[in-house]
């Protein structure tokens, strides 16, 4: 063992998949890290946790020091004394490399332990439904609106502190949406907090360090409270458009103060708070927001404000019960990008602006106007042929924001508690007058997951497809993985998520998001064991007493998502958490289908949703997925050390039933569609694959090598075609521009992936306005194949977490060059290749502790590594350059 410093580095420190970690839901949190630097790997680690950041950085921990532990794994569960609640901690990890040399201790990561259930003293507070004098008479005032949306509530409380605290931590949440203020300053950069959960079951709270915001003497706390998912409009059921969880939003706040003399104090939401209406006349996801700047209340959240006309709040638990309070499991929603709007010109009385990108978010409006000038902003994804906003596909979503100017100089406005899906904006001055040219800036939102991967290629269409996939993910990963951000829906559909999850993890760090979403799915599981179609479940069918049970491919989503998360990270916490719910789902299916064909309890059996061309047999699709999840249950059982016998026997029985029910003597499958053969081949359902492979090739040939798949089939197209038919044909499909294809939508202006292949065509124009989103990530599931095969960065099921990397790139002169970098859980992986006529070069970089199994395509001839013939042995950590001859495939 050497005391010389190591070149190994611990990077991307995470506790419970987050940094910073703002509250714990486990007494044994999991600490993880990745590896960087120039070393072969890790041989030992030492976890350090303490209250002093500098001390932890120097290797001194006053709360826990695990001591050196011999291990190569990139994570460990806490096994020290129970962590106390309401603590602000720092942690880090010291590593030793393969030669026993110590690595530098990285900058510590922040950790707030949060509150335990028994720590909560705060009361839920809300603006009364009606004033104490009785129900007011409806009248034509500023707060009346055709949506019957509630005005946004303003809450405040003044207090006196004997001294400035040396530490103050605020724990805040809402049933609805909120912003929190201390002494006139907004706390945090979150938007749409606390996100969306099944509020009848649980609510997630946020943690804020407010030490520097409180002072000796007079202080004021404030909150702005909107309806959001709780009581506002969400979903497409216009018979029950809102009030899915309750009739009014509520706020909860608890602040723990620590003073220099060791004393402590707890401030909380209670009946001492007051409330009022303010300038936000209403704010709703589907209706939009109306803001009257003339009603602004300057200093309302600062000490000394005159609130004599404010009402007392009401306190009490919401019906049907107070939710369980959990620390937020995923990153917050934030504003992540700003895009300047270009004015296209007038269309009638409306001025049309183009952001150049379809986003989920809202606009910042800058104006100088006469007092009382009323401006309306309308939002749309597309324009009609005459240049007007196309809004029919929004259905009942109004997607309009209204601003009424106060006058007296430049004014800047952004909505608070709504968002829209749009690329184009229409601005109308409905009354009054502008005194200067307006300026619009689009602001994109997303759950702020760190970006993990980027690819750049020599093919403009492929680059645009990658951008469209990324933006559709960004626009729809807002609290839950939604189907679309624009119309009256915005549900967390499970099939959409599961087909895309592998792609999603290459773009962003998804494990924290998956942890939260899996909790939503378990909360939505029925007493009979049925996982739901969407999660959170309530708005989908608000008249059911229990959640709407999931369809094949939809209800199966939780198992697939959790398995993919395990393969990406190597971490088993989601599998452990969900094992019993998974078994309950499998029991639910099996009890109703004793003959092994999935015909019963298929609920809303969507089949291969939104395919073009022949319709796949939904029973075949359902049964294929049943085999697939039975296989996965066997694998999960093995990972968790459980008996796999039941699942192996079930999978074997289901395969036999599948072949008996859906394959004829010549190997032709029921329905005879592309998706039927793609699923059968990719899920390994057939004894003799050759007839299915041949028939798939014939179907593609008959379709002119165009796609005819829907949501469930599309993920399998390029992988199966590349492995079974031709790698070049798979690239053909990827780069095709005629209808239907990914390139077709790009050629017609798409900046995100469409919900339908035929969302717009020259012959028919727009598809049915009843269901036609232009921002929907499901068809972007091809992204996983671009990463795993074109870039050649793929996980290895035998060594998950990218400890072993499968590198099987496809080289193609039509792409020319490709450069990819992916921040895997094991560390950064890089793959870059270029074709120059008859020669090529491929450079790969492997992180410490990992290996890569290399398989070159047949287009690469005579490969050499460092001037010598390339061997079949895995490549180790570091950079490697492989040179080869190149000969394009001709099939």
């Amino acid at each position: 063992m050497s005391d010389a410093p190591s070149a190994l580095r611990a990077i991307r420190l995470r506790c419970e998949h987050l940094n910073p970690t703002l509250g714990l839901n486990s007494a044994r949190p999991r600490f993880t890290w990745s590896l960087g630097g120039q070393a072969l790997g890790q041989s030992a680690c030492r976890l350090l946790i303490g209250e002093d950041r500098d001390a932890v950085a120097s290797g001194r921990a006053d709360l826990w020091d695990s001591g050196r532990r011999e291990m190569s794994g990139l994570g460990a569960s806490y096994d020290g004394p129970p962590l106390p609640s309401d603590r602000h901690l720092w942690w880090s990890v010291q590593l030793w490399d393969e030669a026993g040399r110590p690595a530098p201790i990285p900058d510590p990561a922040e950790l707030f332990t949060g509150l335990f259930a028994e720590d909560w003293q705060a009361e839920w507070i809300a603006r009364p439904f009606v004033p104490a004098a009785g129900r007011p008479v409806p009248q034509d005032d500023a707060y009346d609106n055709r949506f019957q949306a509630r005005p946004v509530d303003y809450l405040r409380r003044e207090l006196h502190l004997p001294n400035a605290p040396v530490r103050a931590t605020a724990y805040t949440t809402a049933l609805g949406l909120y912003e929190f203020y201390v002494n006139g300053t907004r706390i945090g950069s979150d938007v749409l907090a606390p996100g969306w959960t099944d509020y009848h079951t649980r609510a997630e709270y946020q943690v804020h360090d407010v030490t520097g915001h409180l002072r000796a003497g007079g202080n004021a706390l404030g909150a702005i409270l909107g309806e959001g998912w709780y009581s506002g409009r969400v979903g497409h059921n216009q018979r029950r458009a809102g009030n899915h969880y309750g009739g009014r939003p509520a706020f909860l706040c608890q602040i723990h103060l620590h003073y220099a003399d060791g004393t402590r104090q707890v401030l909380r939401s209670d009946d001492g708070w007051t409330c009022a209406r303010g300038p936000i006349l209403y704010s709703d996801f589907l209706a939009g927001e109306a803001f009257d700047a003339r009603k602004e209340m300057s200093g309302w959240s600062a000490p000394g404000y005159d609130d004599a006309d404010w009402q007392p709040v009401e306190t009490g638990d919401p019906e049907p019960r107070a939710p369980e309070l959990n620390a937020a499991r995923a990153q917050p929603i934030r504003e992540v990008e700003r895009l300047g709007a270009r004015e296209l010109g007038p269309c009638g009385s409306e001025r049309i602006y183009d952001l150049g990108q379809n986003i989920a978010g809202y606009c910042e409006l800058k104006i100088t106007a006469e007092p009382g000038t009323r401006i309306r902003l309308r939002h749309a994804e597309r324009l009609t042929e005459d240049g007007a906003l196309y809004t029919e596909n929004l259905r009942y979503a109004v997607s309009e924001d209204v601003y009424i100017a106060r006058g007296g100089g430049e004014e800047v406005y952004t909505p608070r508690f709504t968002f829209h899906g749009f690329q184009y904006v229409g601005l109308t001055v409905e009354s009054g007058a502008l005194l200067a040219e307006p300026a619009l800036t689009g602001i994109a939102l997303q759950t702020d997951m760190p970006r993990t991967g980027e690819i750049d290629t020599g093919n403009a269409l492929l680059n645009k497809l990658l951008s469209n996939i990324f933006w559709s993910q960004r626009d729809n990963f807002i609290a839950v993985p939604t189907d679309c951000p624009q119309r009256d829906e915005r549900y967390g559909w499970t099939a959409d998520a599961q087909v895309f999850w592998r792609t999603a993890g290459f773009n962003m760090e998804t494990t924290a998001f998956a942890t939260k979403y899996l909790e939503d799915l378990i909360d939505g599981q029925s007493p009979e064991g049925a996982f739901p179609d969407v999660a959170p479940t309530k708005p989908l069918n608000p008249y059911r007493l229990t959640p709407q049970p999931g369809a094949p491919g939809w209800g199966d989503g939780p198992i697939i998502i959790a398995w993919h998360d395990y393969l990406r990270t190597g971490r088993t916490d989601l599998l452990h958490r969900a094992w019993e719910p998974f078994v309950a789902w499998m029991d639910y299916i099996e009890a109703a289908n004793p003959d092994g064909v999935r015909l019963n309890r298929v609920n809303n059996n969507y089949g291969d949703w939104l395919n073009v061309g022949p319709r796949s047999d939904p029973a075949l699709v359902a049964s294929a997925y049943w085999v697939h999840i039975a296989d996965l249950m066997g694998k999960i059982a093995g990972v968790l050390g459980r008996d796999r016998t039941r699942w192996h026997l079930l999978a074997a029985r289901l395969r036999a039933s599948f072949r008996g029910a859906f394959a004829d003597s010549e190997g032709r499958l029921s329905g005879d569609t592309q998706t039927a053969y793609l699923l059968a081949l990719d899920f390994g359902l057939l004894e003799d694959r050759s007839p299915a492979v041949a028939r798939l090739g014939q179907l593609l040939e008959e379709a002119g090598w165009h796609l005819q798949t829907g949501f469930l089939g599309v993920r399998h197209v390029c992988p199966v075609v590349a492995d079974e038919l031709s790698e070049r044909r798979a690239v053909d499909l990827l780069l095709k521009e005629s209808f239907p294809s990914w390139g077709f939508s790009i050629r017609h202006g798409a900046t995100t992936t469409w919900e339908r292949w035929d969302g717009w065509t020259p012959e028919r124009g727009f598809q049915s306005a009843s269901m036609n989103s232009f921002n929907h990530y499901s068809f972007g599931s091809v992204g996983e194949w671009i990463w795993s095969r074109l870039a050649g960065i793929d996980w290895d099921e035998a060594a998950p977490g990218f400890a072993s990397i499968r590198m099987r790139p496809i080289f193609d002169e039509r792409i020319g060059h490709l450069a990819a970098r992916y921040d895997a859980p094991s560390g950064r992986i890089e793959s870059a290749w270029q074709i120059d006529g008859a020669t090529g070069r491929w450079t790969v970089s492997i992180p410490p502790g990992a290996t890569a199994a290399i398989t070159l395509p047949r287009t690469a001839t005579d490969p050499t590594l460092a001037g010598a013939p390339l061997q079949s042995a895995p490549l180790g950590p570091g950079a490697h350059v492989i040179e080869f001859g190149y000969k394009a495939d001709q099939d």
Side-chain angles (χ1 to χ4, degrees), residues 14-28:
R14 301 286 187 265
C15 174
E16 293 295 284
H17 317 301
L18 295 169
N19 182 10
T21 304
L22 303 177
L24 297 173
N25 296 307
S26 170
R28 291 174 52 82

Side-chain angles (χ1 to χ4, degrees), residues 827-847:
R828 175 161 290 190
I829 303 167
E830 296 181 354
S831 172
W833 56 260
Q834 62 184 42
I835 304 300
D836 185 10
T839 62
R841 169 183 285 232
W842 181 31
T843 302
V844 301
S845 181
I846 310 301

